[in-house]
Amino acid sequence: MKIGIAADHGGFTLKQQLFRLLEEEDYHITDFGAESLDLKDDYPDYVAPLARAVASGLVDRGIAICGSGVGAAIVANKFKGVRAALITETYSAHQGVEHDQLNLLCLGGRVIGPELAKEIIFAFLHAHYTGEERHQRRLDKLDEIENDSFK
Ligand code: RB5
């Protein structure tokens, strides 16, 4: 599975820790920046390229981190085909994939620590969409809404 990760200054330290962890776990991981800590940088500059990569299939799943995770989720959901959510616990990390085909996980670098972040990420990465009829029906409705609003 190909993973992409991105963060602004609010998530930079956590991104560096998680990047190393995912490399050690043999994930194919691409870093979309920031390359260094710049207290003046802006989260859309890193999250948008990551979201494009998820939307185009260049990576299978994305992890975006800003200070709260809110800005990252807002940017990521601007891209067609991206289903992003701010996640703070493990249940939603896997259920979001199983039911809603979550493909871009957002974290708050100023909100959670590295140990919880690791558990959330593994719950997200190990989960699979179930494809059950009721879930697909809902996703089809989301596609309709998305197709209308991107016209
Ligand atoms: C940056 O200071 C902060 O506003 C940003 O990382 C993020 O929390 C936005 O949602």
Side-chain angles (χ1 to χ4, degrees):
M1 182 189 289
K2 287 178 284 177
I3 314 291
I5 194 165
D8 72 349
H9 59 280
F12 182 77
T13 305
L14 186 58
K15 173 172 76 68
Q16 300 307 96
Q17 292 167 325
L18 295 174
F19 184 86
R20 278 195 297 276
L21 170 85
L22 290 166
E23 265 197 333
E24 282 164 17
E25 294 285 329
D26 281 338
Y27 281 100
H28 182 297
I29 177 150
T30 304
D31 189 345
F32 288 80
E35 285 179 11
S36 57
L37 181 63
D38 172 1
L39 296 180
K40 292 184 178 165
D41 69 9
D42 302 323
Y43 58 85
D45 295 337
Y46 309 107
V47 178
L50 169 65
R52 262 189 216 103
V54 172
S56 70
L58 196 67
V59 298
D60 302 304
R61 295 201 192 163
I63 300 164
I65 316 166
C66 63
S68 63
V70 172
I74 291 171
V75 176
N77 279 313
K78 301 282 181 202
F79 292 82
K80 190 173 178 180
V82 172
R83 290 171 297 279
L86 168 57
I87 301 289
T88 57
E89 35 68 38
T90 56
Y91 175 78
S92 304
H94 66 82
Q95 198 251 23
V97 177
E98 291 157 358
H99 291 199
D100 311 314
Q101 238 177 10
L102 176 71
N103 56 14
L104 204 156
L105 177 83
C106 301
L107 298 171
R110 294 176 183 153
V111 180
I112 59 169
E115 292 305 319
L116 178 56
K118 275 186 218 171
E119 293 194 16
I120 288 172
I121 284 174
F122 287 133
F124 170 61
L125 295 179
H126 295 160
H128 300 283
Y129 175 54
T130 66
E132 285 171 66
E133 192 279 331
R134 67 197 159 113
H135 302 315
Q136 192 54 50
R137 187 178 67 235
R138 292 159 193 162
L139 289 178
D140 290 344
K141 290 182 181 184
L142 287 183
D143 283 346
E144 273 175 41
I145 293 166
E146 196 172 56
N147 287 334
D148 280 350
S149 57
F150 279 90
K151 262 179 197 161

PDB file of all heavy atoms in Angstrom, residues 71-88:
ATOM      1  N   GLY A  71      -7.860  22.328   9.674  1.00  0.00           N
ATOM      2  CA  GLY A  71      -7.533  22.932   8.381  1.00  0.00           C
ATOM      3  C   GLY A  71      -7.177  21.869   7.353  1.00  0.00           C
ATOM      4  O   GLY A  71      -7.601  21.945   6.184  1.00  0.00           O
ATOM      5  N   ALA A  72      -6.428  20.869   7.782  1.00  0.00           N
ATOM      6  CA  ALA A  72      -6.030  19.784   6.870  1.00  0.00           C
ATOM      7  C   ALA A  72      -7.270  19.088   6.305  1.00  0.00           C
ATOM      8  O   ALA A  72      -7.353  18.824   5.098  1.00  0.00           O
ATOM      9  CB  ALA A  72      -5.153  18.783   7.611  1.00  0.00           C
ATOM     10  N   ALA A  73      -8.248  18.814   7.153  1.00  0.00           N
ATOM     11  CA  ALA A  73      -9.462  18.121   6.695  1.00  0.00           C
ATOM     12  C   ALA A  73     -10.263  18.994   5.732  1.00  0.00           C
ATOM     13  O   ALA A  73     -10.794  18.507   4.728  1.00  0.00           O
ATOM     14  CB  ALA A  73     -10.319  17.724   7.899  1.00  0.00           C
ATOM     15  N   ILE A  74     -10.320  20.278   6.018  1.00  0.00           N
ATOM     16  CA  ILE A  74     -11.081  21.186   5.150  1.00  0.00           C
ATOM     17  C   ILE A  74     -10.439  21.235   3.759  1.00  0.00           C
ATOM     18  O   ILE A  74     -11.128  21.120   2.747  1.00  0.00           O
ATOM     19  CB  ILE A  74     -11.173  22.592   5.781  1.00  0.00           C
ATOM     20  CG1 ILE A  74     -12.063  22.534   7.036  1.00  0.00           C
ATOM     21  CG2 ILE A  74     -11.722  23.608   4.774  1.00  0.00           C
ATOM     22  CD1 ILE A  74     -12.060  23.811   7.865  1.00  0.00           C
ATOM     23  N   VAL A  75      -9.133  21.386   3.714  1.00  0.00           N
ATOM     24  CA  VAL A  75      -8.456  21.429   2.407  1.00  0.00           C
ATOM     25  C   VAL A  75      -8.643  20.118   1.658  1.00  0.00           C
ATOM     26  O   VAL A  75      -9.004  20.104   0.479  1.00  0.00           O
ATOM     27  CB  VAL A  75      -6.932  21.661   2.568  1.00  0.00           C
ATOM     28  CG1 VAL A  75      -6.243  21.601   1.215  1.00  0.00           C
ATOM     29  CG2 VAL A  75      -6.658  22.972   3.217  1.00  0.00           C
ATOM     30  N   ALA A  76      -8.380  19.025   2.336  1.00  0.00           N
ATOM     31  CA  ALA A  76      -8.390  17.717   1.662  1.00  0.00           C
ATOM     32  C   ALA A  76      -9.754  17.420   1.043  1.00  0.00           C
ATOM     33  O   ALA A  76      -9.840  16.857  -0.053  1.00  0.00           O
ATOM     34  CB  ALA A  76      -7.996  16.626   2.648  1.00  0.00           C
ATOM     35  N   ASN A  77     -10.821  17.822   1.722  1.00  0.00           N
ATOM     36  CA  ASN A  77     -12.165  17.519   1.211  1.00  0.00           C
ATOM     37  C   ASN A  77     -12.586  18.410   0.032  1.00  0.00           C
ATOM     38  O   ASN A  77     -13.674  18.245  -0.506  1.00  0.00           O
ATOM     39  CB  ASN A  77     -13.196  17.584   2.342  1.00  0.00           C
ATOM     40  CG  ASN A  77     -13.189  16.298   3.154  1.00  0.00           C
ATOM     41  OD1 ASN A  77     -13.195  15.202   2.602  1.00  0.00           O
ATOM     42  ND2 ASN A  77     -13.164  16.423   4.469  1.00  0.00           N
ATOM     43  N   LYS A  78     -11.722  19.324  -0.362  1.00  0.00           N
ATOM     44  CA  LYS A  78     -11.995  20.128  -1.568  1.00  0.00           C
ATOM     45  C   LYS A  78     -11.731  19.327  -2.840  1.00  0.00           C
ATOM     46  O   LYS A  78     -12.051  19.771  -3.937  1.00  0.00           O
ATOM     47  CB  LYS A  78     -11.108  21.386  -1.620  1.00  0.00           C
ATOM     48  CG  LYS A  78     -11.244  22.321  -0.449  1.00  0.00           C
ATOM     49  CD  LYS A  78     -12.484  23.153  -0.556  1.00  0.00           C
ATOM     50  CE  LYS A  78     -12.592  24.110   0.619  1.00  0.00           C
ATOM     51  NZ  LYS A  78     -13.978  24.547   0.814  1.00  0.00           N
ATOM     52  N   PHE A  79     -11.079  18.172  -2.705  1.00  0.00           N
ATOM     53  CA  PHE A  79     -10.664  17.411  -3.881  1.00  0.00           C
ATOM     54  C   PHE A  79     -11.609  16.241  -4.133  1.00  0.00           C
ATOM     55  O   PHE A  79     -11.884  15.443  -3.227  1.00  0.00           O
ATOM     56  CB  PHE A  79      -9.218  16.920  -3.690  1.00  0.00           C
ATOM     57  CG  PHE A  79      -8.237  18.056  -3.704  1.00  0.00           C
ATOM     58  CD1 PHE A  79      -8.023  18.809  -2.552  1.00  0.00           C
ATOM     59  CD2 PHE A  79      -7.589  18.413  -4.870  1.00  0.00           C
ATOM     60  CE1 PHE A  79      -7.157  19.888  -2.559  1.00  0.00           C
ATOM     61  CE2 PHE A  79      -6.720  19.493  -4.893  1.00  0.00           C
ATOM     62  CZ  PHE A  79      -6.501  20.233  -3.738  1.00  0.00           C
ATOM     63  N   LYS A  80     -12.056  16.166  -5.369  1.00  0.00           N
ATOM     64  CA  LYS A  80     -13.005  15.122  -5.762  1.00  0.00           C
ATOM     65  C   LYS A  80     -12.390  13.741  -5.546  1.00  0.00           C
ATOM     66  O   LYS A  80     -11.260  13.488  -5.977  1.00  0.00           O
ATOM     67  CB  LYS A  80     -13.345  15.322  -7.247  1.00  0.00           C
ATOM     68  CG  LYS A  80     -14.468  14.481  -7.724  1.00  0.00           C
ATOM     69  CD  LYS A  80     -14.854  14.853  -9.140  1.00  0.00           C
ATOM     70  CE  LYS A  80     -15.972  13.930  -9.589  1.00  0.00           C
ATOM     71  NZ  LYS A  80     -16.407  14.218 -10.939  1.00  0.00           N
ATOM     72  N   GLY A  81     -13.144  12.894  -4.878  1.00  0.00           N
ATOM     73  CA  GLY A  81     -12.647  11.535  -4.644  1.00  0.00           C
ATOM     74  C   GLY A  81     -11.912  11.386  -3.325  1.00  0.00           C
ATOM     75  O   GLY A  81     -11.599  10.271  -2.910  1.00  0.00           O
ATOM     76  N   VAL A  82     -11.647  12.511  -2.676  1.00  0.00           N
ATOM     77  CA  VAL A  82     -10.989  12.441  -1.370  1.00  0.00           C
ATOM     78  C   VAL A  82     -12.055  12.427  -0.288  1.00  0.00           C
ATOM     79  O   VAL A  82     -12.994  13.230  -0.311  1.00  0.00           O
ATOM     80  CB  VAL A  82     -10.022  13.633  -1.168  1.00  0.00           C
ATOM     81  CG1 VAL A  82      -9.498  13.665   0.264  1.00  0.00           C
ATOM     82  CG2 VAL A  82      -8.875  13.549  -2.159  1.00  0.00           C
ATOM     83  N   ARG A  83     -11.910  11.492   0.628  1.00  0.00           N
ATOM     84  CA  ARG A  83     -12.812  11.422   1.789  1.00  0.00           C
ATOM     85  C   ARG A  83     -11.911  11.543   3.029  1.00  0.00           C
ATOM     86  O   ARG A  83     -11.253  10.577   3.421  1.00  0.00           O
ATOM     87  CB  ARG A  83     -13.606  10.113   1.769  1.00  0.00           C
ATOM     88  CG  ARG A  83     -14.655  10.064   0.649  1.00  0.00           C
ATOM     89  CD  ARG A  83     -15.285   8.713   0.492  1.00  0.00           C
ATOM     90  NE  ARG A  83     -14.298   7.729   0.115  1.00  0.00           N
ATOM     91  CZ  ARG A  83     -13.855   7.546  -1.143  1.00  0.00           C
ATOM     92  NH1 ARG A  83     -14.335   8.256  -2.134  1.00  0.00           N
ATOM     93  NH2 ARG A  83     -12.939   6.628  -1.379  1.00  0.00           N
ATOM     94  N   ALA A  84     -11.859  12.752   3.555  1.00  0.00           N
ATOM     95  CA  ALA A  84     -10.942  13.054   4.659  1.00  0.00           C
ATOM     96  C   ALA A  84     -11.719  13.304   5.943  1.00  0.00           C
ATOM     97  O   ALA A  84     -12.845  13.807   5.905  1.00  0.00           O
ATOM     98  CB  ALA A  84     -10.114  14.290   4.315  1.00  0.00           C
ATOM     99  N   ALA A  85     -11.109  12.959   7.075  1.00  0.00           N
ATOM    100  CA  ALA A  85     -11.733  13.266   8.369  1.00  0.00           C
ATOM    101  C   ALA A  85     -10.659  13.463   9.426  1.00  0.00           C
ATOM    102  O   ALA A  85      -9.605  12.818   9.381  1.00  0.00           O
ATOM    103  CB  ALA A  85     -12.673  12.141   8.787  1.00  0.00           C
ATOM    104  N   LEU A  86     -10.974  14.356  10.345  1.00  0.00           N
ATOM    105  CA  LEU A  86     -10.128  14.562  11.523  1.00  0.00           C
ATOM    106  C   LEU A  86     -10.451  13.449  12.520  1.00  0.00           C
ATOM    107  O   LEU A  86     -11.606  13.285  12.934  1.00  0.00           O
ATOM    108  CB  LEU A  86     -10.435  15.930  12.140  1.00  0.00           C
ATOM    109  CG  LEU A  86      -9.851  16.208  13.523  1.00  0.00           C
ATOM    110  CD1 LEU A  86      -8.338  16.063  13.534  1.00  0.00           C
ATOM    111  CD2 LEU A  86     -10.258  17.606  13.973  1.00  0.00           C
ATOM    112  N   ILE A  87      -9.456  12.681  12.882  1.00  0.00           N
ATOM    113  CA  ILE A  87      -9.655  11.507  13.731  1.00  0.00           C
ATOM    114  C   ILE A  87      -8.844  11.664  15.018  1.00  0.00           C
ATOM    115  O   ILE A  87      -7.674  12.063  14.976  1.00  0.00           O
ATOM    116  CB  ILE A  87      -9.201  10.231  12.975  1.00  0.00           C
ATOM    117  CG1 ILE A  87      -9.990  10.045  11.665  1.00  0.00           C
ATOM    118  CG2 ILE A  87      -9.308   8.996  13.861  1.00  0.00           C
ATOM    119  CD1 ILE A  87     -11.431   9.654  11.794  1.00  0.00           C
ATOM    120  N   THR A  88      -9.496  11.318  16.129  1.00  0.00           N
ATOM    121  CA  THR A  88      -8.811  11.464  17.422  1.00  0.00           C
ATOM    122  C   THR A  88      -8.797  10.162  18.242  1.00  0.00           C
ATOM    123  O   THR A  88      -8.282  10.141  19.353  1.00  0.00           O
ATOM    124  CB  THR A  88      -9.502  12.549  18.280  1.00  0.00           C
ATOM    125  OG1 THR A  88     -10.882  12.178  18.445  1.00  0.00           O
ATOM    126  CG2 THR A  88      -9.419  13.917  17.623  1.00  0.00           C
TER     127      THR A  88
END
